[in-house]
Amino acid sequence: MIPKVFKEVIDLGDGREISIETGKLAKQAHGSVVVQSGKCMLLCTVVSNYKQADVDFLPLTVDYREKFAAAGRYPGGFFKREARPSDGEVLTMRLVDRVLRPLFPKDYHSETQVMIQLMSHDDDVMPDAMAGLAASAAIQLSDFPFECPISEARVGRVNGEFVINPTRSQLEISDIDMMIGASADSVMMVEGEMDEISEEEMTEAIKFAHEAIKVQCAAQVKLAEAFGKKEVREYEPEREDADLAQKIHDLAYDKVYAVAKAGSAKHERSAAFSEIKEEIKATFTEEELEDIGGLISKYYSKAEKAAVRDLTLNEGLRLDGRKTTDIRPIWCEVDYLPSTHGSAIFTRGETQALATVTLGTSREANQIDMPSFEGEERFYLHYNFPPFSTGEARPIRGTSRREVGHGNLAQRALKGMVPEDCPYTVRVVSEVLESNGSSSMATVCSGTMALMDAGVQLKKPVSGIAMGLISDADSGKYAVLSDILGDEDHLGDMDFKVTGTADGITACQMDIKVKGLSYEILVNALKQARDGRLHILEKLTDTIATPNTDVKDHAPTMVTRRIPNEFIGALIGPGGKVIQEMQKETETTIVINEDPVTEEGIVEILGVGKKGIDAVMAKIDALLFKPEVGSIYEVKVIKMLDFGAVVEYTEAPGNEVLLHVSELAWERTENVSDVVNMGDVFDVKYFGVDSRTRKEKVSRKAILPKPEGYVARPPRDDKRSGGRDNRGRDNRGRDNRRDDRKPRDDKKEN
């Protein structure tokens, strides 16, 4: 019996639709939906334990996976099975998590799992744009305590027109690629890259996406009502004590306010706050601490947050003594590491990033192999955040989701400024050495300088800044904070990172924690961010104004050469013998690709020093060398034979031709060595392909004067007896057998 299916359809306004369906699949999950657009289908399931976990946070796991079977493909690698998530999948997980997590109650601590799977792929549909919709729709069908439906949408701009959830082909010509997450009332998350757009244009794109998201949220409400909205489950809330909260606030607020106003450094300030907390705890007995110690810590944190926020709103001061628009002191240095192809240090206050650049061939491109996308990146950035950067000691368990996300943001900020004709594959690695606020933006700044130090001809330098917002809905006061500290990151109502050139925004990442943030405040915040970006950009260009004109002496130089398709095999040689020997002899790296359009061979030659590259270019020139009939060329004898000499063109070493003994001189030549010897250099005339021998013909005697009295030998008579065409074999063909020849007797039986 087929179960009853409930379905809602969302019209995207351009002939495309998104459907949300439930009731057919995964019914033991607490909520499940299938979201479909075209042939693309996502299955999302949600489950949350009914027992609260013994933790003080929400143990939420968002998992997004793309199944290779969805695209009719096998997973790569030896084991034909999906393994750890790719960076692309991790980035989608982060996008969904950042919107869902704030909408669960703060005292809800049950282990919760959201699983989103790509079950069917469509080349014209990008599935990550529907992941947030799928997650929220599944939660709406569950009994989870969740504030309101949300959705996410991608917005692009093609030919000046905004597009919701553009196709990949549309995205390739779009100057905006932004993901927006929102509820019907408020924008909550923004992340994306842009082609140097203005703050106003970015705001218009967010508004456009939000209107589409409102429709998607309404569809979820309709689906839940049709399915039968479940009663929200009951759970054990956190213990609360209003009297204790007021007592802690009264004990802590003034002291915290005074420490915050003193404008101290991170560790000094942290120690002072800890001392206040310990003094408060000392007013309680051991029995009380054992009973309500957790509440004391929670209420102290609330009092500390309130005091710091009030200091900023009331006096315009911040934890380190700065005003709201002040940027921390900056110092920069390039060419710090002697062996890298490019390096730079960027230090802003207590945040420091050391970036390195490595230049390579297309062979070093980062291969992307996902069911929804196959391709490669010729520019990519990796971000490392070791525990010592924050003064901690903890085990390293591989690359974290945070490192993937921050690295991707910095990569998107910079990649548009790498010129399309850059011959190299470029890898940037950022090592965060100190962190107190926005190491990802420090990565953008150090990456810019390292690229210019490496000689990568960036179109324009890029800088980045992390911003914060503190607001009070009751009083209407708000403060936008430039270059936020780590402590300011979690106590504000919005934190956002903006990168760009002097002419516009190239990437952004926003997390908005306050409801109903006005677009006026958003635009003002973005404009303040622009002022900060330009200030930081000036510091970068003071350190290195323009990209170095050449790569470093120890860095490889890249030369690209195109050759006709028919010469690719000759350059590679049987089993790769020719190209391997060439690389060994010249100490270069040679990569050959085929242009999919022209089918020409694209030869990349990477080498340190000019000598090796010139040798490879000479070999290619020799390979492509085509002598013209009637022209005279200089040759060198490289082999002596009884019937002539093998010579090579001096302008195309390795390009050989036979100089027949009869073409050495006008006089009859008995021995080749009577006329030429090994290593002799002289001129010959090229006659093209001889019609009789079907081999290339060159002649030395043709450019020598005829001796006096020279008489040419008469031409050979091809009709004379014994000639090739009259050798007495005419009657030996199959059709001329003797008629009186008896047939062969059959073989006798054994």
Side-chain angles (χ1 to χ4, degrees), residues 11-17 163-166 170:
D11 185 0
L12 294 180
D14 57 0
R16 294 177 298 150
E17 294 179 339
V163 181
I164 288 294
N165 293 355
Q170 286 178 314

Side-chain angles (χ1 to χ4, degrees), residues 536-557:
I536 295 170
L537 188 62
E538 186 178 348
K539 299 294 183 182
L540 305 186
T541 53
D542 284 347
T543 305
I544 179 168
T546 57
N548 290 332
T549 54
D550 296 308
V551 299
K552 298 182 184 300
D553 292 339
H554 61 272
T557 299

Side-chain angles (χ1 to χ4, degrees), residues 96-142:
V96 177
D97 186 296
R98 284 162 50 197
V99 184
L100 295 184
R101 191 175 293 272
L103 296 179
F104 284 92
K106 292 184 179 179
D107 60 351
Y108 186 68
H109 300 156
S110 295
E111 186 167 352
T112 304
Q113 189 173 51
V114 177
M115 295 189 66
I116 311 163
Q117 304 178 64
L118 175 67
M119 308 303 288
S120 176
H121 174 57
D122 186 330
D123 287 335
D124 291 329
V125 180
M126 298 181 70
D128 59 341
M130 302 191 299
L133 169 63
S136 177
I139 292 174
Q140 295 308 303
L141 301 175
S142 73

Side-chain angles (χ1 to χ4, degrees), residues 87 355-357 366 377-384 403-415 426-431 439-440 442-448 451:
D87 283 0
T356 59
V357 170
N366 187 35
E377 294 174 327
R378 293 290 296 269
F379 173 80
Y380 51 99
L381 186 150
H382 292 148
Y383 165 101
N384 297 316
E403 287 173 308
V404 172
H406 280 37
N408 179 258
L409 175 61
Q411 176 177 321
R412 298 174 87 175
L414 292 169
K415 73 176 185 180
V426 181
R427 181 188 186 222
V428 180
V429 178
S430 172
E431 303 291 344
S439 52
S440 62
T443 292
V444 172
C445 296
S446 60
T448 290
L451 286 165

